[in-house]
Amino acid sequence: MNKSNLKPACVFEHFARINEIPRPSKREEKMIEYLKNWGESHNLDTKVDKTGNVIIRKPATPGYEDRKTVILQSHMDMVCDKLVDVDFDFDNDPIQTYVDGEWLTAKGTTLGADDGIGCAMELAILDSNDIEHGPLECVFTRDEETQLTGASGMEAGFMTGDMLINLDSEDEGQIFVSCAGGRSTFATFYVTREAAPEGFFFIEGSIKGLTGGHSGDDIDKKRGNAIKILARFLYNEMQKMPVMLAQFNSGKMHNAIPRDGRFVIAVPSAEKETVRVDWNVFISQVEEEFHVSDTQIVAQMQSTDAQKVITASDTARFVRALQAVDNGVFAMCQDEALASMVETSSNIASIVTEENEIKVVSSQRSNVMSNLDNQCNTVKALFELAGAKVEQNDGYPAWKMNPNSKLTKAVVDCYTRLFGKEPIVRGIHAGLECGLFSERYPNLDMVSFGPTLRFVHTPEERIHIPSVQMVWDHLLAVLKEIPKK
């Protein structure tokens, strides 16, 4: 299979054009301009709100004028991550894709199928003249990946439809009808630096090659977190000898499990060989722990140049906090219909060391808002006990399942008729813009589905090509079955 033969061709052609347009989260101006110009050049009603969301409306095809208006919605931004040795500028360079068996992936970077493929499906429908549908509103939101800025800042009345299909899910055959709410916790450790004591030796330790992934949807897959792994080692060594931290950096995005990280420490020269031996033993243990989920771990330790260090007391409270902070699954859902879904979790996402500050970002999620509050308070209290300044954002709400959804019934019935099997109807332990839409538009009937994506938010991101055709066929069938007004 080569790229020229990808099916459905209309979708993959639009996806290829989208991947030529730089669209990092918060820097989607080129994509906004592209969508605006595209809609206007096709003589479609096109508007951009003050936040930067784009809506393109298309009238019903003949015979479908009496159907309810359907909103098709995707987000235009993408997570920008790359392999450490890849030279790539996300603000200017087009994504380079290639076919790997039944998968489409990118050369050393994130692919942007999250959610470029949803945008491509919307544009393909808008571009068509042979697809039967009622009145359509195609909505493209900005900055979903970092703060849901587009959905939260959407102007009142921007969308007028009765039903919404969110095209930002990642498992073909699964229909999502609820999602988790979430918030981020920002902890700042104020630290003092000094010259290392006489007779101390500087060591750099690093780890890379972890699988990483989405901190919501992948949090239950037992993947290694680079921050927690490095912190474990430092905590262990602190029990044996004086350890003074100079640098600790790991992770890039608030919604991803960190895949790599490095530290620089100073230890007594007499202990340097002990540290090296301990590191080798520790890494072999980590490789055994994660022998299924993380098979490409690369760990290194080497001497490095002397530099100012963080005081022993500041080092201790920081490392102890990293060792103790909650990370991973906290609780599973109690509702029988969603019993296999994570209810509440936390992920420590990134650390940046500056001259006199260490900045830590973590994210908490739950589809039960009271438990989200509890998890956020748990993480906040831990960092406060360690002497950090802690702030938390407002986050985004959960989307509760509507047991009487007419749209869900239509989507399930169409899938069963098309493929001879029932889809899985479930919730997702990640934030979807549907949560914010449910607050702003409480009567909006919503579902979310999409083709199969794997390793999103990482340079291994890939999309299953046959699943795109299945979702496309399913979506077109649903549009024909939308009930009358």
Side-chain angles (χ1 to χ4, degrees):
M1 184 185 295
N2 59 59
K3 288 197 291 184
S4 63
N5 295 327
L6 299 180
K7 304 292 182 182
C10 58
V11 174
F12 280 105
E13 286 167 5
H14 278 287
F15 183 56
R17 293 186 199 121
I18 288 169
N19 268 348
E20 294 177 355
I21 304 166
R23 50 198 171 90
S25 299
K26 297 189 181 298
R27 303 193 299 280
E28 306 94 339
E29 288 77 15
K30 293 178 182 178
M31 186 64 180
I32 293 169
E33 188 67 15
Y34 174 80
L35 292 169
K36 180 176 181 293
N37 291 339
W38 190 94
E40 292 174 347
S41 69
H42 286 73
N43 298 313
L44 296 171
D45 180 19
T46 303
K47 290 183 173 60
V48 181
D49 73 2
K50 63 183 180 183
T51 303
N53 301 305
V54 180
I55 188 167
I56 304 175
R57 293 184 170 90
K58 185 179 182 183
T61 53
Y64 288 81
E65 296 89 347
D66 60 348
R67 303 300 177 95
K68 290 186 175 183
T69 298
V70 172
I71 303 163
L72 301 178
Q73 184 265 322
S74 307
H75 65 84
M76 66 180 83
D77 62 315
M78 65 175 284
V79 168
C80 296
D81 194 12
K82 66 182 184 68
L83 297 176
V84 294
D85 54 353
V86 170
D87 183 16
F88 192 88
D89 181 359
F90 282 101
D91 286 319
N92 294 289
D93 297 341
I95 302 296
Q96 302 294 315
T97 63
Y98 67 96
V99 174
D100 181 11
E102 291 190 336
W103 299 85
L104 184 70
T105 188
K107 297 178 181 179
T109 71
T110 39
L111 173 64
D114 175 17
D115 188 23
I117 199 66
C119 295
M121 288 187 179
E122 292 187 61
L123 289 172
I125 291 172
L126 290 170
D127 203 15
S128 72
N129 54 22
D130 60 353
I131 295 173
E132 298 172 306
H133 57 76
L136 290 180
E137 295 182 345
C138 288
V139 175
F140 307 85
T141 52
R142 73 178 306 178
D143 192 26
E144 186 269 352
E145 296 290 5
T146 63
Q147 291 181 311
L148 296 167
T149 302
S152 62
M154 184 179 288
E155 295 175 1
F158 189 64
M159 302 189 300
T160 63
D162 307 288
M163 296 178 166
L164 183 145
I165 299 174
N166 169 279
L167 296 168
D168 187 25
S169 294
E170 299 161 9
D171 292 278
E172 190 284 319
Q174 299 188 20
I175 312 302
F176 294 91
V177 295
S178 73
C179 73
R183 289 207 290 275
S184 292
T185 299
F186 307 90
T188 302
F189 288 80
Y190 297 100
V191 298
T192 301
R193 289 187 181 269
E194 61 186 17
E198 190 73 24
F200 268 57
F201 185 81
F202 281 80
I203 296 174
E204 176 183 308
S206 65
I207 190 168
K208 65 179 182 178
L210 295 165
T211 302
H214 190 283
S215 62
D217 204 32
D218 294 323
I219 199 69
D220 61 340
K221 295 181 173 61
K222 300 181 180 178
R223 296 176 182 172
N225 179 308
I227 292 173
K228 291 294 287 185
I229 290 171
L230 295 179
R232 281 170 58 181
F233 177 76
L234 294 180
Y235 184 81
N236 288 341
E237 297 307 283
M238 283 171 51
Q239 312 310 302
K240 300 179 179 181
M241 68 188 75
V243 174
M244 303 185 79
L245 183 69
Q247 302 289 333
F248 193 124
N249 295 285
S250 179
K252 301 178 184 69
M253 296 155 296
H254 80 286
N255 55 2
I257 301 168
R259 299 180 294 108
D260 51 68
R262 61 181 286 274
F263 61 72
V264 175
I265 56 174
V267 300
S269 296
E271 301 285 0
K272 64 182 181 181
E273 290 306 318
T274 300
V275 174
R276 291 184 189 276
V277 171
D278 288 350
W279 175 258
N280 291 334
V281 172
F282 173 75
I283 292 301
S284 68
Q285 293 170 341
V286 168
E287 290 172 338
E288 175 59 27
E289 283 182 35
F290 299 104
H291 71 280
V292 174
S293 61
D294 298 88
T295 60
Q296 304 296 320
I297 295 174
V298 177
Q300 294 180 323
M301 178 165 278
Q302 60 196 22
S303 61
T304 191
D305 295 337
Q307 54 189 278
K308 283 191 173 183
V309 294
I310 296 167
T311 63
S313 59
D314 286 347
T315 295
R317 64 189 178 91
F318 171 71
V319 173
R320 286 168 181 160
L322 294 188
Q323 174 68 35
V325 68
D326 258 4
N327 196 82
V329 176
F330 185 77
M332 303 296 289
C333 286
Q334 296 189 36
D335 293 330
E336 185 175 348
L338 302 174
S340 62
M341 189 177 91
V342 176
E343 177 208 89
T344 305
S345 72
S346 185
N347 174 66
I348 185 162
S350 69
I351 295 177
V352 175
T353 303
E354 299 177 351
E355 181 65 23
N356 295 114
E357 296 178 357
I358 306 176
K359 296 179 178 179
V360 183
V361 178
S362 67
S363 62
Q364 292 73 51
R365 303 175 190 266
S366 183
N367 67 340
V368 177
M369 296 308 288
S370 59
N371 281 349
L372 176 61
D373 290 340
N374 178 54
Q375 186 70 14
C376 288
N377 287 340
T378 298
V379 174
K380 181 181 179 182
L382 184 280
F383 283 133
E384 287 175 334
L385 282 170
K389 177 185 176 183
V390 183
E391 298 177 345
Q392 293 177 322
N393 64 11
D394 294 333
Y396 51 90
W399 164 34
K400 292 185 178 180
M401 182 174 67
N402 174 9
N404 301 312
S405 168
K406 293 181 180 179
L407 180 57
T408 300
K409 184 179 186 305
V411 168
V412 170
D413 288 348
C414 284
Y415 190 92
T416 304
R417 187 166 61 251
L418 272 175
F419 304 118
K421 58 182 179 179
E422 290 190 3
I424 298 169
V425 178
R426 55 165 295 201
I428 186 171
H429 190 64
L432 290 174
E433 290 159 300
C434 296
L436 284 162
F437 297 148
S438 68
E439 275 195 336
R440 304 288 179 85
Y441 301 85
N443 296 320
L444 195 58
D445 196 354
M446 297 184 288
V447 299
S448 177
F449 59 85
T452 298
L453 277 66
R454 290 294 177 264
F455 310 117
V456 296
H457 299 183
T458 79
E460 286 74 40
E461 180 187 356
R462 55 191 53 220
I463 186 167
H464 189 234
I465 296 165
S467 73
V468 179
Q469 183 71 63
M470 293 179 71
V471 170
W472 178 247
D473 293 342
H474 184 206
L475 177 60
L476 299 194
V478 170
L479 292 179
K480 292 175 66 174
E481 297 298 322
I482 296 299
K484 295 181 179 180
K485 296 176 184 176

